Amino acid sequence: MATDLYKTIPLHNFVDELTAGLLPRAVSRKTLIINQIDKSIEVGSDENLLAFVLWNLLDRAVDSTQNECIHIESVEMGESTMIRVRNAGVYFYRSCANCFRQVQHAAEKLGGSISIDYTSDTSNTSTTIALTLHKPAA
């Protein structure tokens, strides 16, 4: 993707704007969306493509979660920024199956990748989706 399409995006505000449209559905499902992204983190990315990827992941998380908190977190790891959506619901796999190929392809166009971690033990069941964005080479 051409680098002239990339903008510096304040990630916390960007996620706030995306989640605003999901709030009515989240409230109806008795689910809270908590934006825990560090306010100082900015990413260089194609804004529309990033919105497509994050919106799809967050939308599926809300659809597959009820009576829970969805935490959106950021982790900077050297030349990468990871955006994690925790407690995305036990049915996330099923709700994501139809769109995952397109979303993964879009993440790859951004120079990133998506991973899903499902954990289940006797006291807790949790799904975490992570979008990892790699900083473009200078």
Side-chain angles (χ1 to χ4, degrees):
M1 180 150 285
T3 56
D4 59 340
L5 295 176
Y6 279 48
K7 291 177 59 176
T8 299
I9 300 167
L11 196 53
H12 184 89
N13 293 344
F14 190 72
V15 169
D16 273 349
E17 291 173 14
L18 287 175
T19 57
L22 295 169
L23 287 178
R25 194 158 22 112
V27 168
S28 74
R29 299 183 60 77
K30 298 179 182 168
T31 297
L32 295 174
I33 301 172
I34 302 170
N35 183 351
Q36 296 174 302
I37 292 179
D38 185 323
K39 290 184 179 184
S40 67
I41 293 180
E42 295 182 338
V43 293
S45 187
D46 177 314
E47 186 174 17
N48 291 327
L49 206 49
L50 181 60
F52 172 78
V53 172
L54 285 177
W55 171 263
N56 274 283
L57 295 179
L58 294 168
D59 182 58
R60 298 305 183 280
V62 169
D63 276 350
S64 62
T65 306
Q66 189 151 350
N67 299 318
E68 296 280 344
C69 290
I70 298 171
H71 298 266
I72 307 164
E73 309 162 329
S74 59
V75 179
E76 289 193 297
M77 307 170 304
E79 294 298 310
S80 300
T81 300
M82 180 185 289
I83 304 162
R84 288 192 303 219
V85 181
R86 280 193 309 112
N87 291 344
V90 294
Y91 301 106
F92 180 82
Y93 283 118
R94 197 174 305 154
S95 70
C96 192
N98 295 330
C99 75
F100 191 71
R101 177 174 263 168
Q102 291 176 314
V103 175
Q104 178 67 27
H105 181 69
E108 290 169 359
K109 281 186 172 182
L110 291 170
S113 60
I114 297 172
S115 60
I116 302 172
D117 179 46
Y118 177 77
T119 306
S120 181
D121 59 37
T122 56
S123 63
N124 187 26
T125 300
S126 173
T127 303
T128 301
I129 311 123
L131 168 61
T132 302
L133 299 172
H134 307 285
K135 295 179 181 155

